[in-house]
Amino acid sequence: MVSRILALVFASVVFSQSAWATSLWHEVGHDRATSPYASARFLYASRPDVQTCNPGALSQKAKDRALAVMNQIRALHGLAPVRYSYLYDQSVQEAALIQVANGYPGHHPSSSARCYTTAGAEGSRTSNISGFSNGTLQDGDPARDVVKWTNDAFNRSLVAAAGHRRWILNPFTAYMSYGQVHGYDAQKTFDFDHEPAVTPLITVDYVAFPYERYPAALMEDDPPWSFSVVEDKTDRWKNKHPYFQLATVTVTRVSDSTRLPVGKLYMDMKSHGLPNFLSWQVQGWEYDTPYQVTIWNVAMQSRQLRSYSYQVVIDRMSQPPAIPRTVQREQDELRFPARQQKVMTREAREREAWAAARAKKRLEQATRR
């Protein structure tokens, strides 16, 4: 219950701009590699040096931008915002250094890898990682990385599994940390064991991509569409179930009821984010066109079959949504860029949790009187 109270505290910040931030999606839809957010002056508080294995440090503005874009994307899906964890800054920055120094060795770099550190290896293991390489080192906009992980069209492991996207859109995620060294990036996604355990406020029954009115900037390169069930809102692992063993998918153009060809169905129960996942490719979809997506015959844990249906418009014209956004969008709209957060130690956050529990107890006592 304390974690629930903390989650409400985390989500109670009032932001000044909606998740459908037209200027933001116009911006991230352009070439992010040449934006002012990709300059060394913007990115680094102290510049890295690969030759001397110095990871450097990111600026507060760079961290804010990564956090803000991630929370904007989560808000499109009705998911609670995450908080930045400063306790893992060194780990993700050293992970990014290992990636650039060794030409992207992946999530499990060898101890003999150049610039190897234990913290960097741990950051590589627990993070979304990526590397931009055209033969030269090139700094990148943090927004580019978060968008790229959400899109996941070039996942080096398996595009259909969309493992990076599943961590960005994990309803149970409470924290993130971000590191970059010359376009090689790491975003910590799990094992925040030095932070208080928090279960965010979860009100959605599923996570779908794309969903409702969706920015075209997130749909470049025709990524797979996807769907995961959130049947249990208290424990991520209680959603590990073969929901899609009997499932079929239809995507229907609303204007004339034409069904678009759907293929390459993929399903798994891997541990990337929610441990149930269905993805598919849609042939012939068009921008600014409403579609009805239906996932039929989802096998629930109660042994009942259920179908889910929702609309999708992949918006290239960047018109505001015609219908109210769901899941407390009015109260919990996200501001861009993110509000700067104070560094909090584990002890401070434990005190915060203790104070929340005391406040809850006093409220319960007052109610009984």
Side-chain angles (χ1 to χ4, degrees):
M1 182 59 71
V2 171
S3 64
R4 279 281 179 181
I5 295 172
L6 273 177
L8 288 170
V9 172
F10 288 6
S12 65
V13 178
V14 177
F15 297 93
S16 62
Q17 191 174 26
S18 72
W20 189 264
T22 303
S23 59
L24 167 65
W25 298 119
H26 273 155
E27 176 194 329
V28 300
H30 295 141
D31 185 1
R32 293 171 294 275
T34 58
S35 76
Y37 304 105
S39 69
R41 181 177 180 180
F42 173 82
L43 286 171
Y44 302 116
S46 61
R47 297 193 182 190
D49 186 335
V50 179
Q51 295 301 317
T52 62
C53 290
N54 177 5
L58 290 187
S59 68
Q60 183 63 49
K61 290 182 179 179
K63 300 171 192 176
D64 286 347
R65 184 161 170 82
L67 174 67
V69 174
M70 179 170 173
N71 279 336
Q72 290 281 6
I73 292 171
R74 288 174 62 84
L76 292 169
H77 298 263
L79 302 177
V82 299
R83 170 177 282 189
Y84 195 93
S85 174
Y86 295 91
L87 303 181
Y88 295 90
D89 272 347
Q90 191 68 19
S91 177
V92 291
Q93 196 66 13
E94 291 181 9
L97 177 64
I98 292 173
Q99 300 304 314
V100 68
N102 296 276
Y104 194 84
H107 290 287
H108 302 282
S110 166
S111 59
S112 62
R114 187 180 174 205
C115 302
Y116 178 91
T117 63
T118 302
E122 181 67 7
S124 298
R125 183 186 69 83
T126 60
S127 297
N128 280 337
I129 56 176
S130 61
F132 177 83
S133 178
N134 60 359
T136 60
L137 299 181
Q138 184 173 339
D139 294 320
D141 181 353
R144 176 201 68 183
D145 303 315
V146 181
V147 167
K148 179 171 55 178
W149 286 318
T150 307
N151 173 288
D152 229 4
F154 295 98
N155 190 317
R156 297 193 184 193
S157 176
L158 179 62
V159 171
H164 303 105
R165 176 193 306 168
R166 292 157 71 170
W167 286 118
I168 296 287
L169 301 181
N170 178 15
F172 293 88
T173 293
Y175 303 99
M176 70 93 78
S177 303
Y178 173 80
Q180 181 185 156
V181 176
H182 301 319
Y184 285 75
D185 321 280
Q187 177 241 323
K188 188 171 177 64
T189 59
F190 63 95
D191 279 1
F192 289 91
D193 51 345
H194 296 302
E195 296 282 6
V198 173
T199 299
L201 178 65
I202 299 173
T203 58
V204 300
D205 296 321
Y206 58 85
V207 177
F209 173 97
Y211 182 58
E212 295 184 349
R213 189 173 293 275
Y214 212 67
L218 292 166
M219 289 297 293
E220 295 175 358
D221 306 306
D222 194 21
W225 299 30
S226 62
F227 184 88
S228 295
V229 174
V230 189
E231 189 171 9
D232 189 289
K233 297 175 174 59
T234 64
D235 187 333
R236 177 169 74 99
W237 291 107
K238 290 182 179 179
N239 294 287
K240 186 173 184 178
H241 179 74
Y243 290 102
F244 308 117
Q245 56 188 336
L246 302 174
T248 57
V249 179
T250 59
V251 178
T252 306
R253 190 162 54 223
V254 173
S255 61
D256 59 6
S257 299
T258 297
R259 287 192 178 183
L260 274 61
V262 172
K264 297 185 179 179
L265 260 68
Y266 169 89
M267 62 193 74
D268 72 38
M269 293 188 295
K270 295 179 179 179
S271 61
H272 312 310
L274 282 170
N276 72 80
F277 188 72
L278 176 69
S279 73
W280 62 92
Q281 292 287 159
V282 181
Q283 296 182 29
W285 63 265
E286 298 176 315
Y287 294 105
D288 308 308
T289 303
Y291 297 101
Q292 192 74 31
V293 179
T294 305
I295 295 90
W296 305 88
N297 298 322
V298 178
M300 308 303 290
Q301 296 185 38
S302 63
R303 299 188 179 180
Q304 294 179 329
L305 293 179
R306 179 178 176 181
S307 294
Y308 294 83
S309 192
Y310 53 92
Q311 284 203 4
V312 170
V313 177
I314 301 169
D315 191 314
R316 189 168 53 183
M317 301 301 292
S318 296
Q319 298 297 322
I323 57 175
R325 305 302 296 166
T326 56
V327 194
Q328 298 186 340
R329 304 263 172 92
E330 290 82 2
Q331 299 102 313
D332 297 335
E333 290 179 337
L334 293 174
R335 180 177 64 89
F336 182 83
R339 179 177 299 172
Q340 183 169 338
Q341 298 172 320
K342 295 188 299 181
V343 178
M344 293 184 69
T345 65
R346 179 183 179 88
E347 291 74 18
R349 292 195 177 169
E350 287 175 346
R351 288 196 297 271
E352 183 182 76
W354 180 79
R358 286 285 301 272
K360 176 180 177 294
K361 184 176 180 179
R362 287 195 298 270
L363 178 61
E364 290 174 343
Q365 291 173 342
T367 303
R368 287 196 294 266
R369 291 172 184 170

